[in-house]
Amino acid sequence: MFSERISRLQGSLVREILAVANQPDMISFAGGLPAPQAMPALDFTGLPATLSQYGPSEGELWLREAVAAEMSKNGVSVTAGDILILTGSQQGLDLTAKLFVDLGTPVVVEAPTFLAAVQCFSLYGAKFVEVGLTPNGPDMAQLERKLKEEKPRFAYLIPTFQNPSGVCYDEATRQRVAELFDEHNVVLLEDEPYRELVYDKCDRAPICSRLTKAAWVHFGTFSKTAIPGLRVAYLACHPSLMPNLYKLKQAADLHTNRQGQWAMHQLLTSTDYSAHIARLREFYHQKRDLMAQALDKHFHDIADWAVPPGGLFFWVKLKANIDSYALLEPALARKVAFMPGKPFYANERVSNELRLNFSHASPERIEEGVKTLAEVIRAHI
């Protein structure tokens, strides 16, 4: 009755948890939800009536030009013709999976990695080749060996404030990754949803800007810096990939929400945009520090972690060798939601890790939630 790929279809644990976490009395550290008070106000005054009609599949030219200008500032020399506007950056993962993945296609991912990427690539039959992470990025000896041995079609990396680990690749790692991809002719899928949410000085130059031979796709989004509900995102790519990605986009949804594109263009080109990003950084910086203080106070004897230099998450590793998944039900019973580590690994394993989001909960509830979660953990170790 169904296609063969449906046997590989996975649900999203984070979406299931968020359905519970939306209860008013729940303290949620589960999803990567921006804080409502950090979102810019929407003003559709002046919205052209023509945007009620069907639009171009590649996205509005004026938004693609603005995105290209921003990427060029960050060292990626692209034009509007290299930009495809997406209905959420996860659509980009789906389009590239359709482009590259056949049943059994080897693809490199970090371990851990973004759980929605695992969900998407596995649907099309990817064979996952995991590479472990260090505090400076992927284990380079592992990466080089697996590029040689496995000959992957692409590698999916999150170099800047990696989800879920918070790792930010250093300069030397970024350069070496680019050299390896050029040497082995492996396509780079570079996902950077958090790059603007930086709190401490670190290297953020996109790896794709360093490539000289390998093809690449770079994903970006407005969900973390503006309004996630509008689902406006984008990809930039090597010119050889755009014709097929453009046709895949046409086959998926014709075009992205035009009113949302207009709203994001208004923000991106406004005189207040730089100040808006600065306010976001300060707001989330304070929340990050509050969670770091709460972890120091309540988790110091039960877990290890690093303070992330940007992004929205702490990656906490329990000292006890227990499955963090088993802590989810008792934590929810105490009205605290978190993401266990297991879904962030492409290949099946037990994980004693937790991902904790600090952007959504109020400052008072961060302290309360971390304290309660520590009590739940202590009762089960």
Side-chain angles (χ1 to χ4, degrees):
M1 180 177 179
F2 298 122
S3 73
E4 60 85 22
R5 75 174 61 90
I6 295 303
S7 64
R8 298 186 296 273
L9 184 62
Q10 303 173 11
S12 171
L13 180 62
V14 69
R15 308 312 302 174
E16 294 168 8
I17 292 176
L18 288 178
V20 178
N22 284 335
Q23 298 172 7
D25 58 345
M26 186 72 68
I27 301 173
S28 180
F29 301 142
L33 280 65
Q37 57 268 45
M39 298 181 196
L42 288 175
D43 182 2
F44 287 98
T45 305
L47 176 71
T50 54
L51 295 183
S52 295
Q53 190 50 272
Y54 288 110
S57 297
E58 66 271 31
E60 305 298 330
L61 176 60
W62 27 264
L63 180 56
R64 290 185 292 120
E65 288 176 339
V67 168
E70 284 296 311
M71 291 198 66
S72 295
K73 290 179 189 175
N74 295 326
V76 186
S77 297
V78 290
T79 68
D82 303 313
I83 306 296
L84 184 65
I85 302 301
L86 305 170
T87 303
S89 60
Q90 192 167 326
Q91 183 181 55
L93 301 181
D94 183 68
L95 299 182
T96 50
K98 289 173 180 174
L99 181 60
F100 291 116
V101 180
D102 298 310
L103 186 61
T105 298
V107 301
V108 165
V109 294
E110 300 150 324
T113 189
F114 179 39
L115 74 175
V118 173
Q119 182 185 20
C120 180
F121 300 153
S122 63
L123 176 62
Y124 295 101
K127 172 193 171 187
F128 290 105
V129 179
E130 292 186 310
V131 173
L133 285 171
T134 76
N136 299 317
D139 181 314
M140 296 308 296
Q142 268 191 48
L143 178 61
E144 184 169 8
R145 184 176 71 254
K146 291 184 177 183
L147 290 179
K148 290 178 180 176
E149 294 175 354
E150 300 287 347
K151 298 185 177 8
R153 195 162 291 172
F154 67 76
Y156 171 75
L157 306 179
I158 313 168
T160 307
F161 318 132
Q162 200 261 2
N163 179 6
S165 71
V167 164
C168 188
Y169 294 19
D170 64 14
E171 172 72 20
T173 299
R174 290 171 187 263
Q175 183 59 38
R176 182 58 182 150
V177 167
E179 291 168 357
L180 286 173
F181 279 52
D182 277 337
E183 178 184 345
H184 295 280
N185 195 31
V186 175
V187 178
L188 169 67
L189 305 189
E190 183 173 26
D191 199 358
E192 294 219 301
Y194 310 102
R195 66 163 288 111
E196 296 300 335
L197 303 181
V198 55
Y199 320 126
D200 301 327
K201 184 176 175 57
C202 54
D203 299 310
R204 294 186 299 140
I207 294 172
C208 64
S209 67
R210 305 162 189 263
L211 295 173
T212 60
K213 297 178 183 176
W216 55 273
V217 183
H218 181 99
F219 304 106
T221 182
F222 298 106
S223 289
K224 307 307 181 188
T225 55
I227 309 291
L230 290 177
R231 310 308 300 131
V232 179
Y234 58 90
L235 65 78
C237 67
H238 189 275
S240 66
L241 304 181
M242 184 58 79
N244 284 324
L245 288 170
Y246 170 70
K247 291 172 187 174
L248 286 164
K249 169 69 173 174
Q250 285 183 323
D253 66 357
L254 294 184
H255 65 81
T256 295
N257 167 15
R258 299 184 80 193
Q259 289 89 349
Q261 291 186 64
W262 184 83
M264 292 304 94
H265 179 260
Q266 294 296 103
L267 175 65
L268 193 58
T269 59
S270 74
T271 56
D272 187 55
Y273 182 67
S274 294
H276 166 70
I277 295 299
R279 289 192 296 270
L280 272 186
R281 290 171 177 167
E282 178 60 25
F283 180 74
Y284 289 134
H285 190 170
Q286 292 177 8
K287 286 198 161 194
R288 182 206 65 174
D289 289 352
L290 285 171
M291 181 165 275
Q293 292 166 15
L295 288 169
D296 283 339
K297 182 177 180 181
H298 300 292
F299 273 65
H300 62 276
D301 59 337
I302 58 173
D304 296 305
W305 65 90
V307 177
L312 301 178
F313 306 108
F314 278 81
W315 185 239
V316 177
K317 184 170 185 177
L318 300 177
K319 294 180 179 180
N321 189 25
I322 63 172
D323 186 353
S324 62
Y325 207 105
L327 300 170
L328 186 55
E329 188 174 340
L332 290 172
R334 293 284 304 274
K335 301 298 182 181
V336 179
F338 71 94
M339 278 300 300
K342 184 177 180 179
F344 295 99
Y345 290 96
N347 297 322
E348 188 75 15
R349 73 171 74 185
V350 173
S351 167
N352 63 344
E353 295 145 317
L354 302 80
R355 190 191 73 174
L356 303 180
N357 165 262
F358 56 82
S359 62
H360 189 64
S362 68
E364 302 76 21
R365 304 205 88 190
I366 288 175
E367 162 69 22
E368 179 187 352
V370 170
K371 179 176 182 292
T372 301
L373 190 54
E375 292 171 355
V376 168
I377 293 169
R378 286 194 173 87
H380 289 80
I381 58 177

